[in-house]
Amino acid sequence: MTKTDPVLGTRALNRATLDRQLLLKRSPLTARAAVEHLLGLQAQNVKPPYYALAARLDGFRPEALSALMADREVVRIVTMRSTIHTHTADDALTLRPLVQAARDRELTNFRKGLVDVDLDRLAALARDLVEAAPRTMKQLREALLEEWPDADPQSLAIAARCRLPLVQVTPRGLWGRSGQVALTTAEHWLGRPAEPVPAPDATVLRYLAAFGPASVKDMQTWAGLTRLKEAFERLRPQLLTFRDEHGVELFDLPDAPRPAADTPAPPRFLPEFDNLLLSHADRTRVIPAEYWGRSWVGNMVYATFLVDGFLAGVWKVEEDTLVVEPFGKLTKAQCQEVTEEGMRMLATMHPGTSYDIRFGTVVRPS
């Protein structure tokens, strides 16, 4: 970083990130192309990936993503930050090896329950089990416990999940369908082997295209990895550098969009766990400091909405009503824009169903 690096203020970072995230204006990309561009969609629950694309794509219909999943062009798999993501098949076979070191480190948290367990043998046995037939975590625990009866059952199943690239097989994840979580390996489900562990350089460039401008720590937060500085340094000659208002060095692609700070940003309804809110070490580019922690209570995480590009409140669908809870006071014009965007979201996700929209309480007082 040099003293001549331009400074990007919070609003400039906000607009740049929203543009990369397809949230300034809806994109004509296909569902598959969007999943690829965004490096996957957070998917702890079944519905969030669908709502994430509804906020971003022009003409999106949930059936489009569901068909990709049914055809095994996208899958649900544990990758970044040890959380389930919806990825393209290609990314499942490359990003999972990239973050494998983090999954190996995660296992150290369960070493007390894995005393005398040969992890290589466990991985081989678990692979044989899930490739013979998809298994639930309960079935996997029980089968592994027969081999290691003195081990902690939950730790055995987590070890299998950490050591192997396990995908959730359909019908789990399909729109309008239900199904328990059953697992097999990505290689078995997709019919081809995983890639060797790649250098992170290509993923750094893709991360900047989807989340930049960003610091090394930002990407490490997104990926759940450490020691990415070397990759950024290798790429430095082909990148631009900026500073944020605190002097932190930010990297970016030379031809990436960086809209003016006053570019209009329409309201958007996002699902719980949307990666927009989770993929930077410094999240003030999207989350005002006064609203930090307002979108979750204990283990309950709420769907959120943006006004003027920033987190502005939470929402939920309650029977036949969309309930919207702003964290602060909205102007009459903003309320109207939020209402119109809510109607559009409901028409996309629940066509032919009538809903009321009410400004009320979503997060119940504890």
Side-chain angles (χ1 to χ4, degrees), residues 64-343:
L65 180 60
S66 192
L68 292 171
M69 194 164 294
D71 292 341
R72 307 190 188 187
E73 293 187 48
V74 302
V75 296
R76 295 166 55 83
I77 183 172
V78 172
T79 53
M80 285 81 72
R81 306 184 300 278
S82 193
T83 55
I84 300 167
H85 279 70
T86 294
H87 285 296
T88 65
D90 288 344
D91 278 350
L93 295 171
T94 54
L95 290 178
R96 174 56 193 248
L98 178 67
V99 301
Q100 183 58 46
R103 302 291 67 76
D104 293 339
R105 286 197 304 274
E106 182 184 352
L107 265 181
T108 62
N109 298 325
F110 301 91
R111 58 184 179 274
K112 289 184 179 178
L114 297 168
V115 175
D116 295 329
V117 173
D118 182 332
L119 293 178
D120 290 336
R121 174 165 167 68
L122 179 145
L125 179 58
R127 180 181 290 274
D128 288 344
L129 288 166
V130 299
E131 290 186 350
R135 309 284 178 136
T136 66
M137 287 291 273
K138 180 176 183 292
Q139 291 170 332
L140 201 50
R141 284 197 303 269
E142 291 173 349
L144 294 173
L145 200 58
E146 292 182 11
E147 185 74 15
W148 293 283
D150 296 329
D152 173 60
Q154 186 68 13
S155 297
L156 289 171
I158 289 173
R161 190 198 72 170
C162 287
R163 292 296 298 269
L164 297 176
L166 297 178
V167 300
Q168 298 183 0
V169 305
T170 53
R172 180 73 175 179
L174 299 182
W175 184 250
R177 299 278 300 277
S178 61
Q180 63 182 345
V181 175
L183 305 164
T184 189
T185 63
E187 299 98 328
H188 185 72
W189 186 245
L190 299 174
R192 50 197 169 106
E195 297 293 326
V197 178
D201 301 39
T203 306
V204 169
L205 299 177
R206 292 182 63 194
Y207 171 78
L208 293 176
F211 294 96
S215 68
V216 175
K217 285 186 177 180
D218 286 331
M219 183 173 174
Q220 290 180 164
T221 296
W222 167 78
L225 294 173
T226 58
R227 301 178 182 176
L228 290 179
K229 184 175 176 58
E230 289 184 3
F232 278 83
E233 291 301 327
R234 284 194 298 271
L235 294 167
R236 183 183 289 275
Q238 66 189 79
L239 299 175
L240 298 181
T241 55
F242 300 89
R243 286 180 293 136
D244 68 13
E245 293 173 336
H246 305 289
V248 174
E249 185 178 33
L250 306 173
F251 294 84
D252 205 8
L253 307 174
D255 58 351
R258 287 176 291 277
D262 60 355
T263 301
R268 292 289 186 259
F269 281 79
L270 302 178
E272 62 271 29
F273 306 112
D274 195 279
N275 271 332
L276 174 73
L277 305 179
L278 300 172
S279 300
H280 298 88
D282 181 355
R283 300 175 187 177
T284 56
R285 69 176 66 195
V286 180
I287 304 176
E290 63 269 27
Y291 296 157
W292 177 256
R294 291 285 300 274
S295 60
W296 69 84
V297 176
N299 292 327
M300 175 65 72
V301 178
Y302 293 90
T304 61
F305 67 92
L306 310 177
V307 172
D308 189 29
F310 292 88
L311 173 67
V314 295
W315 64 273
K316 66 178 178 181
V317 175
E318 194 173 66
E319 297 180 350
D320 60 353
T321 302
L322 170 63
V323 184
V324 179
E325 179 182 347
F327 292 152
K329 185 173 178 59
L330 301 181
T331 67
K332 184 177 180 180
Q334 287 172 331
C335 287
Q336 180 62 30
E337 291 173 351
V338 167
T339 299
E340 291 173 357
E341 177 64 13
M343 292 174 63

